[in-house]
Amino acid sequence: MNRDDRSADRSGWRALPGPLRTAVVVSGCLVIVVAAIAILGRMLVQLAPLTLAIVAALFLAALLSPVTALARRLRAPRWLSALAGILFLIIAVAGPLTLVAERAVAQFGDLEGRLIAGLQRLRESLTAGPLSGKQLDAIVGDLTERLQSAAPDPVAGAMGALQALAAVVTALVLLFFLLRDGDGMWSWLLHRFPARSRPRADAAGRGGWQTLVAYVRGTAMIAVIDGVGIGLALVILGVPLAFPLAFLTFLLAFIPIFGAVTAGAVAVLVALVSNGVSDALLVLAAVILVQQVEGNLLEPFIIGRAVRLHPAVVLTAVTAGTLVAGIAGAVVAVPLTAVVYRITECARTYPGDDPAQGRNTGDPRSGASGEARAAAADTKPTASGSSPDPG
């Protein structure tokens, strides 16, 4: 291309209206960003076990940091404080699982008879109404065949179990290092940024970490309240497997929107089959009451304004996460969206760019410049409060 052709190209670009040129540039940037996000997401999906291990370690570090902080206040070494957090996690998980298993085994004999009687009542009700016996048998047979065809291959199931076990071990190892060396890791990452951008990156990182901490701890508290509330209703009504159903409610509470609906539906179905229609309606009323109290009173109070997401955004994020990575994607979609939003807002609103001086002015409360803060970070990279320390 000669000089005249280049001049003609530039003249043609300048001849376009200003809004159209802006739209072209913005569209090109959006295409590049979306393509980069798609490639990154594809890589993370391909490395699903490692990705889930890292995400689980971050979530658990946000949840267990008070335990390690308490151990450090008691002058325990860093490694012992991190080990105390992991032991607390193991006890907190193993205790309820043991109780649930014992209660399920103890109620199995009684449950078998009640389930058979309940299924017979349900069959009589359906055959006396819209369905005949042959139609119901055909539906049950078709459903059984679908479930059998959907069952995983034994070899694939074994490989999946091994991958899950490896992910759990990796997550525990990463959790130990996060609890022990979290501040050092953040300081190392922060010093990969240019000195001028370091204060802004530090503020954005700390804001994102605080949002993750608020979400994980608040969701855990709400999950406990949901499990206890629905579990008490099941115990009062004499529904079998009350403790396992309460524990299932606790676990599914970490999946926004769909988790609560699924847990409530399982509880109502068990009550319907084992105790009849009246107890099932009472369980449904209890589930609705607990979820309304949780959604309208407890969640805004416990989580507060740390997670500023509209319900439509939450629904979209959960749906997208489920489509991309199944249940694991549904669990991490909302906190990931909240953290990314918080990081973006902190970076955008950081009071560091002074047009009058043309340089980063740093923190206005301290009167120090961004360069001075960066120099201070270079001399003392692990200063207290300078990083989102998970420990």
Side-chain angles (χ1 to χ4, degrees):
M1 182 180 292
N2 56 34
R3 184 178 300 177
D4 293 337
D5 293 336
R6 290 195 295 269
S7 300
D9 291 340
R10 288 195 294 268
S11 299
W13 171 256
R14 292 171 181 171
L16 295 174
L20 181 58
R21 287 185 289 175
T22 302
V24 171
V25 173
V26 171
S27 299
C29 293
L30 287 177
V31 169
I32 295 174
V33 171
V34 170
I37 293 175
I39 294 173
L40 179 60
R42 183 67 177 174
M43 291 174 58
L44 293 178
V45 170
Q46 292 295 325
L47 301 174
L50 180 59
T51 302
L52 293 178
I54 295 174
V55 172
L58 288 172
F59 280 29
L60 293 174
L63 185 63
L64 298 174
S65 56
V67 179
T68 58
L70 176 61
R72 289 182 186 178
R73 282 196 295 268
L74 297 176
R75 302 194 180 275
R78 282 180 170 269
W79 68 268
L80 186 58
S81 301
L83 187 61
I86 294 179
L87 290 177
F88 178 83
L89 172 67
I90 293 175
I91 294 173
V93 172
L97 283 178
T98 303
L99 178 61
V100 166
E102 290 180 353
R103 298 295 298 179
V105 171
Q107 295 180 354
F108 181 78
D110 179 60
L111 177 62
E112 183 179 6
R114 296 176 69 173
L115 286 178
I116 293 175
L119 289 174
Q120 184 63 32
R121 288 197 304 268
L122 184 60
R123 177 184 176 84
E124 292 174 356
S125 300
L126 293 175
T127 53
L131 298 176
S132 64
K134 293 183 178 180
Q135 291 175 329
L136 184 60
D137 292 337
I139 293 174
V140 172
D142 182 65
L143 181 60
T144 303
E145 291 180 0
R146 289 178 181 271
L147 291 176
Q148 290 176 351
S149 62
D153 181 72
V155 176
M159 292 298 297
L162 288 177
Q163 290 182 354
L165 180 60
V168 170
V169 174
T170 304
L172 290 177
V173 174
L174 291 175
L175 175 61
F176 174 80
F177 287 119
L178 283 174
L179 294 176
R180 192 190 70 173
D181 304 321
D183 51 354
M185 291 179 180
W186 174 246
S187 178
W188 179 88
L189 180 62
L190 193 63
H191 280 72
R192 306 284 76 78
F193 289 87
R196 181 184 183 88
S197 304
R198 215 165 284 163
R200 185 187 298 272
D202 186 30
R206 286 188 283 112
W209 179 254
Q210 291 169 1
T211 298
L212 180 62
V213 169
Y215 179 86
V216 173
R217 296 180 186 174
T219 303
M221 293 179 62
I222 291 173
V224 171
I225 294 172
D226 282 352
V228 171
I230 295 178
L232 284 176
L234 296 175
V235 170
I236 292 173
L237 294 173
V239 177
L241 299 179
F243 287 101
L245 289 173
F247 189 67
L248 178 65
T249 302
F250 168 78
L251 293 179
L252 293 180
F254 288 91
I255 304 177
I257 301 176
F258 299 111
V261 174
T262 303
V266 172
V268 172
L269 181 61
V270 173
L272 175 63
V273 173
S274 61
N275 290 28
V277 177
S278 58
D279 282 356
L281 293 176
L282 292 176
V283 171
L284 177 61
V287 169
I288 294 175
L289 176 62
V290 170
Q291 292 179 356
Q292 289 299 314
V293 171
E294 169 244 305
N296 296 312
L297 296 179
L298 298 178
E299 186 171 353
F301 176 75
I302 294 175
I303 298 180
R305 296 177 58 83
V307 183
R308 302 182 180 92
L309 295 179
H310 192 274
V313 177
V314 173
L315 179 61
T316 303
V318 172
T319 304
T322 304
L323 293 176
V324 172
I327 297 177
V331 172
V332 304
V334 173
L336 178 62
T337 304
V339 169
V340 171
Y341 172 75
R342 181 63 174 167
I343 290 175
T344 304
E345 285 298 298
C346 289
R348 183 181 65 85
T349 60
Y350 181 76
D353 293 331
D354 189 352
Q357 298 180 7
R359 61 186 177 87
N360 191 307
T361 59
D363 190 350
R365 294 172 296 180
S366 62
S369 66
E371 289 81 355
R373 285 168 56 87
D378 285 331
T379 58
K380 192 176 182 181
T382 58
S384 175
S386 64
S387 67
D389 178 12

